[in-house]
Structure formats: structure tokens, C-alpha cells
């Protein structure tokens, strides 16, 4: 335990409060989570997410392999496009969620730190039936997010990748160039980049971004930003017991073409016929904070539960994601034995610095 | 880290007590407590007139990270609340030793006997 990223010394130097996350010592915040959150919404912030793991997939059957193990369909990808997808077990439960980046030499998967050991074992086991090579990449991953993130990052990238990075459309990545790969993806609901780079160059890049006025941000702000953006967190909003269909991720499952046989397809086809729950955004207009695991009630019946919750600095209210029975359009939440009415609202809550709700 | 004020008394649940000239006391949370909690976003306080036993839960502090109980370090009756904090809980983070939460009429003069002075509280933190 206590794994350190290549930027550990930088976090310490900045006085970050470090916490254990999936065995890694990661910054929770550098003073104020709310200020970091607002810097990303208004300007630009950066997150060390090097605890996430990149796995490259190459070989003659890389496409066939990924079409079998991923619920979304990588044949949608060409010329550097990225794809968000779940990796399912045979029951349709979610082993992990990930982004696949299309590369000239194959594909790069970026997986959750908490899941990487089981993910990699699963990938290796499933890969036995295919001509593919899997290789784990030990990289620094720095997410630079916010309205000004791209403009502040571009001049600091290696010359060889600058032009490619400047031309990226949303949800595309560059080819790996001199060990660097820049993607226009993120987990905040803002524009920006996720930059994968060699560990040896991490500190210099981080310091250059600091100098350019990019705020260092911790995992705390990363969580409140993704929640406002209505993005799921693995382990809370979906897991091996909850399929994408009851986790607001049906849009990531490619049932077309009908003849693509992917892991978990049979189970999902069955589930689709009898879905009793929906996945929604919830808003608490009274004081208090929604948290994972709180029950939703109508009368004396439990009709759902909060899968992730927190305080929204943009809306100045607590928000959450929840799984509830289909017919429910109004209910109450139980917070430490007291009941408060909650509103069911559309996801996302915030995009590009602006609230999406009319409060 | 903000220095631990010498004129306050402390308890191991990280609240402080300031005895005022009229013998009543202000209750707040320490710098260590606010640092552990992270940014405070909501607070829930007891009603004026409520009687507190020493060590009794008397409110809830909700931070970005978690909900945490507030304990009364002393026995007595709540005579005032710092209402301004309800709309500005961030003052608990920025100035924890000025942002008092409750004012308490102490039950008796022994109410303070079990509390720590600043040196003892500093020693407790050093051991955590």
C-alpha cells in the first residue's frame, strides 16, 4: 500500500492533504475543495489521475477482442476517436467502466485504479481465445480541465504533438508521440485535455502548468465536478450487481448490429424486457447533503436509493444520482432518520460552467 | 496550521470552550477539526433553551466529505446561536477560533473541570 505517483513530491510541496485511494496516496485537496471546484468551472484546474491504469491492446484480432469484451462497439472508432464503455460480466454486471482510445497501432484502455487487478486478470483470461497482446503502461495521467484548460496546456506540450492536440475534436485523442498522448476527454463537464506522458517528464509539465495559472485540484473536487456533470462513479453508481441498464448507461450499450455477440449481451437482452428501475438525478432544496446509500421513501415504502451524492458548489444545494422505481416522480430522502422532500431532475446538473436546472 | 489559542479550553472531540466575562461560554470547533472535515457546507444547531449534558450530541456539521456530529463539551442551557454561520459555514474553515457555534449558560462551576488547556490539547494532537 501507499503507492506514489510521479507527482507525489509536487503534491507534498503544495501542502496537499493526501489520502489513500485504491492503495495510492493521492491528493484530496490542496486547501479548499470548493475553491478548486470553482477554479475548474471558471478557469482551469489539473488533476493527477496517474493511479488510473492504461492498458494497450494490439494484435491482428484486437478489434474482434474488444467487440467481444466491451458493451459499446469499437467499430464506431476511427482516426483517433475515443469511446466510453462498460466491461460486463456474463450476467450483465459492470466489471469496470473505461475509455477506449483508438490508436494507429491498436487501442488504449484507461481503467479505474480500484479495479485494475481484477480487470487485467479478466482481460488476460478472455484474451486467450484471440490473437492479441495486452501491455500495461506505467504513465503519468494529468487531466487539465476548464474553459481555459486547452489554451493554457497547448503551448506547454512537446512540439511534436502540439499541432495534433490543437486540432482535436471533442472525444478524440492524438497518436502516441514521443511517449505522449493527448485526449480531449475528461470527467468534469468542462472542455479540456487528459494528457498521458512519461513519468520522467511529469514534474516539469506539472510545474509549467502551475506557472501558467492552472490550479492544482484534488480527488475531492474531481468527485463534486463529475457529480454536477452527471457522470457515474464506478463502485457507487454501478458495480457487478448493477447493469448499465439500471445505472443510466443504456446509451453506452451497442445492441446494434444484432449479430455482435458481446459479453453480457444475453443477460441484458432479458433485463431489457422487464426493467423496474430508472436512474435519475435528484436535488435536495433543503439544507443537508445527499450521500451514497441513503434511502428514498414514499410513505413507508422504500422506493429507491441514492447511489452517489454530495454538495454542488455551482447550485449551492446538494445533488445526487439515484436508482428508483420507474413510476416514482416525487419522493423523500431519509437523512439520519429525518425526511426531506427531493426533486427528480434531468442529468446533467451543470455543463460548461452553467447550471442546467431551473431552480 | 493555526496556533492553538491559550485562552480557550478543549475536549478530545475537538471542540473548544471560551468562558466569557459573564460566566457563560462560547462553543466552537478547533482548527484540527475543520481541517479533518474539509469545506463545511451546512450546519444544524440545537434550539435555544435546550439543555445539554456534557458530551451530548448537539448538532451536525456537514462538509463536502461527510456529516459529523457536534458534541457539547460542557453541561448547560443553550442561550444563543451564531446565526450568521448558517449562511456562511465556510467561516468555520477560515477562522475556526472566532466562529463560535453556541453560547451556553453553564450548569455549575465544575462544568469546566474535565477540559484541557491549550498545552494538553497540543499534546493530544501530537499523539494522533
Amino acid at each position: 500500500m501507499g503507492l506514489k505517483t510521479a507527482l507525489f513530491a509536487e503534491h507534498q510541496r503544495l501542502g496537499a492533504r493526501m489520502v489513500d485511494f485504491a492503495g495510492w496516496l493521492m491528493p484530496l485537496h490542496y486547501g479548499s475543495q470548493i475553491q478548486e471546484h470553482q477554479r475548474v468551472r471558471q478557469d482551469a484546474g489539473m488533476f493527477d489521475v496517474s493511479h488510473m491504469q492504461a492498458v494497450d491492446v494490439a494484435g491482428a484480432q484486437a478489434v474482434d477482442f474488444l467487440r467481444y469484451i466491451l458493451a459499446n462497439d469499437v467499430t464506431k472508432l476511427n482516426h483517433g476517436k475515443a469511446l466510453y464503455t462498460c466491461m460486463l460480466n456474463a450476467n450483465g454486471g459492470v466489471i469496470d467502466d473505461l475509455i477506449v482510445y483508438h490508436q494507429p497501432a491498436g487501442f488504449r484502455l484507461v481503467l479505474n485504479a480500484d479495479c485494475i487487478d481484477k480487470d487485467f486478470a479478466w482481460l488476460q483470461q478472455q484474451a486467450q481465445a484471440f490473437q492479441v497482446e495486452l501491455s500495461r503502461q506505467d504513465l503519468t495521467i494529468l487531466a487539465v480541465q476548464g474553459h481555459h484548460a486547452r489554451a493554457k496546456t497547448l503551448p506547454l506540450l512537446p512540439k511534436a504533438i502540439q499541432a495534433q492536440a490543437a486540432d482535436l475534436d471533442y472525444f478524440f485523442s492524438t497518436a502516441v508521440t514521443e511517449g505522449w498522448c493527448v485526449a480531449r476527454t475528461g470527467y468534469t463537464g468542462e472542455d479540456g485535455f487528459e494528457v498521458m506522458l512519461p513519468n520522467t517528464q511529469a514534474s516539469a509539465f506539472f510545474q509549467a502548468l502551475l506557472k501558467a495559472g492552472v490550479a492544482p485540484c484534488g480527488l475531492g473536487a474531481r468527485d463534486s465536478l463529475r457529480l454536477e456533470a452527471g457522470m457515474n462513479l464506478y463502485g457507487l453508481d454501478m458495480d457487478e450487481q448493477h447493469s448499465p441498464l439500471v445505472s443510466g448507461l443504456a446509451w453506452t450499450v451497442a445492441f446494434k448490429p444484432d449479430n455482435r455477440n458481446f459479453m453480457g449481451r444475453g443477460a441484458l437482452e432479458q433485463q431489457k424486457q422487464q426493467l423496474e428501475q430508472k436512474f435519475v438525478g435528484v436535488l435536495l432544496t433543503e439544507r443537508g447533503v445527499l450521500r451514497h446509500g441513503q434511502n428514498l421513501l414514499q410513505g413507508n415504502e422504500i422506493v429507491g436509493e441514492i447511489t452517489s451524492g454530495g454538495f454542488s458548489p455551482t447550485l449551492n444545494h446538494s445533488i445526487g444520482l439515484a436508482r428508483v422505481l420507474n413510476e416514482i416522480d416525487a419522493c423523500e430522502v431519509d437523512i439520519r432518520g429525518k425526511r426531506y422532500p427531493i426533486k427528480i431532475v434531468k442529468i446533467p446538473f451543470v455543463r460548461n460552467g452553467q447550471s442546467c436546472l431551473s431552480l | 496550521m493555526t496556533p492553538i489559542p491559550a485562552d480557550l479550553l478543549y475536549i478530545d472531540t475537538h471542540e473548544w470552550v471560551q468562558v466569557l466575562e459573564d460566566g457563560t461560554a462560547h462553543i466552537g470547533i478547533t482548527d484540527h477539526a475543520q481541517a479533518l472535515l474539509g469545506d463545511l457546507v451546512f450546519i444544524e444547531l440545537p434550539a435555544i433553551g435546550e439543555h445539554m449534558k456534557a458530551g451530548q450530541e448537539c448538532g451536525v456539521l456537514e462538509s463536502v466529505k461527510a456529516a459529523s456530529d457536534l458534541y457539547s463539551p460542557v453541561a448547560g442551557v443553550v442561550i444563543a446561536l451564531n446565526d450568521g454561520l448558517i449562511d456562511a459555514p465556510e467561516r468555520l474553515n477560515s477562522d475556526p477560533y472566532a466562529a463560535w457555534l453556541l453560547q451556553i449558560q453553564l450548569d455549575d462551576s465544575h462544568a469546566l473541570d474535565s477540559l484541557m488547556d491549550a498545552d494538553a490539547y497540543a499534546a493530544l494532537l501530537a499523539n494522533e
Side-chain angles (χ1 to χ4, degrees):
Chain A
M1 291 295 124
L3 297 168
K4 292 171 184 170
T5 72
L7 292 169
F8 180 78
E10 301 296 331
H11 304 318
Q12 276 204 313
R13 197 171 53 76
L14 293 169
R17 175 169 284 268
M18 306 299 288
V19 292
D20 179 277
F21 184 86
W24 291 82
L25 276 169
M26 301 301 291
L28 180 64
H29 61 75
Y30 300 80
S32 166
Q33 174 180 327
I34 291 180
Q35 280 171 26
E36 291 163 21
H37 180 111
Q38 282 160 346
R39 284 293 294 277
V40 173
R41 285 279 176 254
Q42 290 155 15
D43 181 11
M46 59 177 157
F47 306 82
D48 179 8
V49 289
S50 310
H51 57 315
M52 298 187 74
Q53 301 286 307
V55 173
D56 285 351
V57 181
Q61 288 190 299
V63 170
D64 298 332
F65 171 62
L66 294 176
R67 290 192 83 206
Y68 175 64
I69 59 152
L70 300 178
N72 212 337
D73 187 353
V74 296
T75 52
K76 292 176 185 172
L77 297 180
N78 50 30
H79 306 299
K81 184 95 174 74
L83 184 75
Y84 173 74
T85 180
C86 290
M87 179 161 76
L88 306 179
N89 60 31
N91 300 323
V94 182
I95 296 174
D96 201 358
D97 67 332
L98 60 135
I99 293 183
V100 194
Y101 296 96
H102 180 259
Q103 288 287 314
F107 297 89
R108 171 167 288 179
L109 317 181
V110 177
L111 300 147
N112 281 308
D114 227 357
C115 301
I116 184 62
D117 291 337
K118 70 166 183 175
D119 286 353
F120 198 66
W122 173 258
L123 287 167
Q124 280 183 309
Q125 185 196 330
Q126 299 301 323
Q128 284 171 8
F130 296 87
Q131 284 175 34
V132 287
E133 294 98 53
L134 304 174
S135 56
R136 285 178 70 161
Q137 304 293 316
D138 181 18
L139 296 168
T140 290
I141 310 180
L142 201 61
V144 192
Q145 301 280 296
H147 187 55
H148 298 133
R150 288 195 303 139
K152 288 185 172 180
T153 308
L154 279 170
L156 308 176
L157 295 171
K159 289 273 178 298
I161 207 168
Q162 273 181 8
Q164 277 189 76
D167 286 344
L168 287 176
D169 283 329
Y170 183 65
F171 239 71
F172 278 79
S173 76
T174 67
V176 175
T177 308
E178 296 177 358
W180 290 60
C181 175
V182 179
R184 196 167 163 192
T185 52
Y187 196 43
T188 60
E190 299 295 325
D191 200 352
F193 287 137
E194 291 180 298
V195 183
M196 297 174 243
L197 67 154
N199 290 331
T200 50
Q201 295 170 58
S203 276
F205 184 53
F206 185 88
Q207 286 175 14
L209 286 163
L210 265 184
K211 210 181 260 179
V214 177
C217 300
L219 293 183
R222 184 169 158 81
D223 190 52
S224 50
L225 287 158
R226 71 92 195 166
L227 184 62
E228 283 189 345
M231 295 173 177
N232 290 36
L233 175 59
Y234 186 78
L236 296 184
D237 300 309
M238 69 289 200
D239 53 31
E240 296 201 21
Q241 278 70 50
H242 294 95
S243 84
L245 304 186
V246 292
S247 308
L249 297 176
W251 62 276
T252 71
V253 181
F255 287 106
K256 300 269 174 192
D258 295 333
N259 63 359
R260 182 175 69 104
N261 171 35
F262 62 88
M263 179 65 72
R265 178 171 192 138
L268 294 191
E269 297 274 12
Q270 279 204 323
Q271 257 189 42
K272 234 179 11 169
Q273 309 307 317
Q274 45 188 359
L275 283 177
E276 290 169 353
Q277 291 173 312
K278 61 182 176 182
F279 194 80
V280 296
V282 290
L283 172 74
L284 180 69
T285 52
E286 295 190 36
R287 288 171 193 282
V289 181
L290 302 170
R291 312 267 183 199
H292 172 77
Q294 289 168 349
N295 281 325
L296 299 176
L297 302 138
Q298 206 174 51
N300 291 322
E301 302 270 307
I302 295 176
V303 296
E305 93 176 316
I306 304 288
T307 56
S308 53
F311 177 74
S312 160
T314 306
L315 305 174
N316 212 23
H317 284 290
S318 181
I319 56 172
L321 301 174
R323 197 174 280 121
V324 295
L325 296 175
N326 280 332
E327 61 273 20
I328 301 298
D329 49 18
C331 57
E332 293 180 314
V333 62
D334 179 335
I335 302 180
R336 296 184 305 278
K338 282 192 206 165
R339 289 195 183 192
Y340 303 89
I342 61 158
K343 273 189 191 168
I344 291 179
V345 298
K346 279 208 181 106
I347 304 169
F349 303 92
V350 178
R351 261 302 133 87
N352 299 320
Q354 301 298 316
S355 166
C356 304
L357 305 182
S358 43
L359 293 180
Chain B
M1 191 104 184
T2 317
I4 299 170
D7 57 333
L8 307 181
L9 297 168
Y10 301 88
I11 189 164
D12 59 3
T13 47
H14 307 293
E15 284 88 11
W16 55 257
V17 179
Q18 180 180 33
V19 181
L20 306 173
E21 279 181 14
D22 63 1
T24 64
H26 277 165
I27 310 295
I29 61 166
T30 67
D31 185 52
H32 178 76
Q34 71 78 21
L36 279 184
L37 289 166
D39 292 321
L40 271 310
V41 293
F42 292 113
I43 57 175
E44 214 178 283
L45 297 174
I48 290 178
E50 222 172 295
H51 182 264
M52 297 292 150
K53 289 182 209 153
Q56 186 183 332
E57 287 172 22
C58 64
V60 179
L61 306 175
E62 289 262 17
S63 75
V64 286
K65 211 165 108 187
S68 159
D69 291 317
L70 175 72
Y71 297 95
S72 176
V74 292
V77 175
V78 180
I79 56 171
L81 306 173
N82 191 355
D83 292 331
L85 288 183
I86 306 258
D87 292 319
E90 65 276 9
R91 283 172 44 208
L92 289 166
N93 296 110
S94 58
D95 202 357
Y97 294 114
W100 60 275
L101 288 156
L102 312 173
Q103 189 174 357
I104 299 217
Q105 177 79 56
L106 302 176
D107 277 358
D108 58 60
S109 57
H110 295 298
L112 306 169
D113 289 355
S114 60
L115 302 177
M116 286 176 267
D117 64 13
D119 287 345
Y121 183 62
L124 175 90
L125 292 186
N127 282 328
E128 272 199 0

